[in-house]
Amino acid sequence: MTYHLYHYFEKDHGPFRNLSKLPIEEATHISHQLRSEGDVFASRRSEEYMLIRREIEQLARCQFIAKGGMPKNTYPHYMTLGPCKWLESWYRKPAVITIPSEEFSEESISFTYGDLFPTMRYQDEKPYRKQIYSRTEILNVIKEYGFPQDWNINGDKGPERYIEVQVWDEEVVGKYIF
């Protein structure tokens, strides 16, 4: 079955810009600038956001490798499995790129049931918390729980609003950077 992966971004800045790829000082500075602007989703993040994000990304990478993943990047790019209109609210001028899932090798993408950040940190004992999934595994999770985009449109049923895809390779996304 073909699914499409979606990448939401600020139109004026372009797609696949990644704070994690920057030196920590530069990433923290940009994160601080976004917080001070106050009118974008990123402005709500804590001062420790970048340090916590890097820890969680390393945990995700280790879990992905343990499942047979072969990440080429130290830090992932982020996409969603299927559309999530709510993510457009994160940006002043939202834009989106869609890429068929078949363009990515099984070894280059991992999944979380929900955004990586709350999935790895939220303490409610749901079975899909703190889990990184392969493509095959996430399809089984979807069969059991459905798409969060369908059952949690307003975010009132927990932090899971979409299925996140972590892209661990520049090969495919590089074609879409402009």
Side-chain angles (χ1 to χ4, degrees):
M1 175 176 247
T2 299
Y3 286 101
H4 282 83
L5 308 186
Y6 290 68
H7 176 68
Y8 296 87
F9 60 96
E10 185 65 55
K11 186 176 184 175
D12 290 344
H13 297 144
F16 298 109
R17 296 180 50 115
N18 192 334
L19 284 174
S20 294
K21 289 177 68 174
L22 301 173
I24 191 67
E25 298 81 18
E26 186 177 351
T28 301
H29 176 72
I30 292 170
S31 186
H32 176 72
Q33 284 180 311
L34 291 169
R35 275 195 316 280
S36 67
E37 291 173 8
D39 64 341
V40 294
F41 183 82
S43 68
R44 299 181 218 152
R45 294 176 176 153
S46 74
E47 286 190 37
E48 299 83 27
Y49 171 75
M50 282 310 304
L51 293 173
I52 296 167
R53 175 174 162 162
R54 291 239 173 126
E55 284 178 25
I56 291 171
E57 288 171 333
Q58 285 308 302
L59 175 64
R61 189 174 193 276
C62 289
Q63 282 190 24
F64 183 48
I65 290 169
K67 290 184 177 242
M70 293 189 287
K72 292 182 180 175
N73 294 356
T74 304
Y75 303 103
H77 287 289
Y78 295 99
M79 300 184 79
T80 63
L81 182 59
C84 181
K85 296 294 276 179
W86 173 68
L87 288 174
E88 291 179 0
S89 71
W90 287 23
Y91 306 99
R92 289 183 199 103
K93 294 181 188 174
V96 65
I97 289 174
T98 62
I99 305 173
S101 60
E102 283 76 24
E103 286 197 39
F104 297 92
S105 71
E106 178 96 16
E107 300 81 23
S108 70
I109 56 174
S110 61
F111 300 82
T112 48
Y113 195 78
D115 184 280
L116 179 65
F117 211 85
T119 294
M120 294 306 205
R121 299 183 79 216
Y122 207 76
Q123 303 291 329
D124 66 1
E125 305 304 318
K126 288 186 179 176
Y128 47 77
R129 296 281 186 247
K130 302 184 187 329
Q131 300 290 319
I132 295 295
Y133 296 101
S134 69
R135 186 186 328 232
T136 303
E137 290 172 326
I138 199 64
L139 295 177
N140 291 327
V141 174
I142 293 166
K143 284 179 189 170
E144 185 168 350
Y145 298 102
F147 279 87
Q149 298 97 302
D150 295 336
W151 61 263
N152 196 20
I153 294 169
N154 298 319
D156 56 343
K157 296 179 179 80
E160 46 289 86
R161 298 287 294 262
Y162 49 85
I163 294 170
E164 187 175 87
V165 183
Q166 298 86 35
V167 178
W168 298 95
D169 189 342
E170 301 289 327
E171 183 178 343
V172 175
V173 299
K175 299 176 200 173
Y176 297 87
I177 297 174
F178 48 84

